[in-house]
């Protein structure tokens, strides 16, 4: 299949006064992680389609909370009241579906899925075992090696370096973006780094062109879509310039990696394409990506398809097509609020000029 073929919870932040509809009889979507790039992208897509959205984050100044119909603060996922806060907000604002955009929250959401369901909130969460594998880079490497999926040589012990040729990339076993990543050319430096921090692992540094693929995997394990894009420019691990492309090789390897970890729902697969065209997968994030807007702009509405699958677990999700060659160049945008949470006018919004 190619990609183009068939701490206690605090009080909610007051709603921003704008023209968006917040009628209690109309179901809303609860979106977690509203402060991250993926959360912001999901909130913006849903509101653009006319959905009521309750955007929540542990950060009271999260941009996605200001962009949502209603913004609210919740505890971190490791807090005992995290699910309680979600249930309370869903009940207060009539949310019937939840979209989580933070991988680290998925175990807590899975543990609280029954309580959310009892409150009328539907979820579609990946198997916790799949999430655990994806979030542990050493376990992920073992899973792909066992399945025969191309993956860089990896070790989480200094002794294992004999099987990992250089040059090397040293990174935390768990982490996001490019935080804590070091590019090293000396074996001695790698050994020193791994002895200093046992939580690090080392991989062979790949050459070629870096890609990301946004994917949606059905509840039955079938691929709904794979949308590869070149990471033309990245900052702090987030793509700021990219171009969609179609490749049977990349799609095949991405599909094999997703099957190896048994992940369903949204996924963000990262890897490299070598000069000879061979594709290698480096990692999978079990969530929507920060570069999601490019996939949406290319025509694959994975957000709407995922929401359909959340609300109706028996829904048959049709294949999502996309257009190769769509380019994205990301820029900064701002939200503004006053001390009381009310909106402050954006000075850069177009206004009528009076003669």
């Amino acid at each position: 299949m190619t990609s183009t073929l068939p701490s206690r919870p605090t009080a909610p932040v007051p709603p921003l006064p704008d023209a968006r509809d917040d009628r209690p009889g109309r179901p809303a979507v609860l979106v977690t992680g509203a402060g991250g790039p993926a959360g912001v992208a999901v909130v913006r897509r849903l509101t653009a389609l006319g959905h009521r959205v309750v955007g929540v984050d542990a950060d009271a100044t999260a941009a996605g909370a200001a962009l949502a119909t209603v913004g609210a603060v919740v505890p971190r996922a490791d807090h005992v009241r995290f699910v309680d806060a979600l249930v309370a907000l869903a009940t207060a604002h009539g949310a019937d579906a939840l979209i989580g955009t933070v991988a680290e929250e998925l175990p807590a959401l899975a543990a609280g899925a029954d309580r959310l369901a009892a409150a009328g909130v539907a979820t579609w969460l990946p198997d916790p075992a799949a999430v655990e594998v994806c979030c542990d880079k050493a376990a992920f490497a073992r899973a792909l090696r066992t399945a025969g999926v191309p993956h860089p040589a990896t070790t989480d012990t200094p002794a294992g370096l004999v099987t990992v040729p250089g040059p090397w990339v040293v990174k935390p076993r768990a982490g996001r973006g490019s935080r804590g990543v070091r590019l090293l050319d000396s074996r001695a430096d790698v050994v020193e780094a791994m002895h200093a921090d046992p939580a690090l692992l080392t991989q062979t540094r790949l050459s070629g062109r870096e890609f990301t693929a946004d994917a949606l995997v059905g509840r039955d394990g079938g691929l709904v879509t794979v949308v590869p894009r070149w990471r033309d420019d990245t900052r702090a691990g987030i793509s700021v310039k990219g171009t969609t492309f179609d490749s049977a090789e990349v799609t095949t390897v991405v599909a094999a990696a997703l099957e190896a970890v048994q992940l369903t729902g949204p996924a963000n697969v990262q890897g490299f394409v070598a000069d000879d065209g061979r594709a290698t997968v480096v990692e999978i994030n079990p969530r929507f990506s920060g570069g999601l807007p490019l996939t949406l702009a290319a025509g694959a509405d994975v957000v709407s398809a995922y929401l359909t699958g959340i609300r109706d677990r028996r829904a048959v999700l049709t294949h999502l097509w996309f257009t190769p060659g769509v380019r994205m160049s990301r820029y900064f945008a701002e939200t503004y609020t006053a001390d009381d949470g009310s909106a402050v006018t954006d000075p850069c919004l177009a206004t009528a000029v009076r003669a």
Side-chain angles (χ1 to χ4, degrees):
M1 173 181 178
T2 65
S3 50
T4 53
L5 291 180
S7 74
R8 294 176 291 180
T10 57
V13 176
L16 299 181
D18 57 22
R20 285 170 289 188
D21 188 4
D22 191 29
R23 289 174 297 175
R26 193 159 146 265
V29 184
L30 185 64
V31 178
T32 73
V40 168
V42 170
V43 168
R44 292 186 64 210
R45 179 57 180 167
L46 291 173
T47 56
L49 293 173
H51 295 281
R52 286 199 308 123
V53 180
V54 181
V56 304
D57 198 279
D59 178 3
T61 62
L67 294 168
T69 316
V70 176
V73 181
V74 296
R76 289 169 52 93
D78 55 3
H79 193 286
V80 67
R81 299 295 301 278
F82 174 64
V83 175
D84 291 338
L86 297 180
V87 168
L89 286 166
T91 301
H93 298 288
D96 71 340
L98 179 145
I99 296 179
T101 69
V102 181
E104 292 80 3
E105 291 179 351
L106 292 174
L109 291 174
D114 288 344
R115 290 162 59 198
L116 288 163
V121 182
T123 58
W124 171 3
L125 301 168
D127 188 307
V131 174
E132 184 176 356
V133 169
C134 290
C135 292
D136 183 334
K137 293 179 174 61
F140 180 73
R142 289 192 294 270
L144 264 60
R145 183 170 62 246
T146 299
V149 179
H151 183 72
T154 304
T155 182
D156 56 357
T157 66
L161 275 176
V162 295
T163 64
V164 181
W168 300 274
V169 55
V170 179
K171 61 181 72 171
R173 285 182 57 149
R176 59 171 57 198
S178 56
R179 289 192 284 270
V181 174
R182 299 170 60 187
L183 305 180
L184 300 176
D185 298 310
S186 163
R187 184 179 294 272
D189 289 343
V190 174
V191 171
E192 180 181 359
M194 296 188 74
H195 277 304
D197 186 354
L200 296 176
L201 59 74
T202 298
Q203 296 176 333
T204 296
R205 194 189 318 163
L206 299 178
S207 60
R209 196 170 181 185
E210 190 175 8
F211 74 87
T212 285
D214 286 332
L216 182 62
V217 184
R219 291 180 186 268
D220 61 355
L223 274 180
V224 177
T225 196
V226 173
V227 183
R229 49 187 166 82
W230 299 118
R231 289 164 66 88
D232 297 328
D233 189 10
T234 61
R235 297 175 190 174
I238 301 296
S239 177
V240 294
K241 292 183 180 180
T243 308
T244 58
F245 69 97
D246 190 28
S247 165
E249 169 73 16
V250 168
T251 301
T252 298
V253 171
V254 166
L258 291 167
E259 184 176 0
V261 298
Q262 295 292 291
L263 189 67
T264 67
N268 165 231
V269 185
Q270 298 183 5
F272 285 82
V273 176
D275 293 340
D276 62 4
R278 289 181 298 175
T280 301
V281 170
V282 175
E283 65 180 58
I284 295 178
N285 297 303
R287 54 171 174 79
F288 286 119
S289 71
L292 173 63
L294 178 51
T295 288
L296 298 173
D301 190 353
V302 290
V303 175
S304 291
Y306 183 49
L307 180 57
T308 296
I310 291 172
R311 284 176 163 161
D312 181 2
R313 61 183 305 112
R314 291 185 294 272
V316 178
L317 304 181
T318 58
H319 179 75
L320 299 179
W321 300 74
F322 76 97
T323 303
V326 178
R327 294 182 177 88
M328 173 191 72
S329 182
R330 174 168 272 153
Y331 63 93
F332 285 111
E334 298 79 22
T335 61
Y336 307 92
T337 55
D339 284 345
D340 62 358
S342 61
V344 173
T345 301
D346 185 342
C348 295
L349 284 178
T351 56
V353 178
R354 297 186 179 182

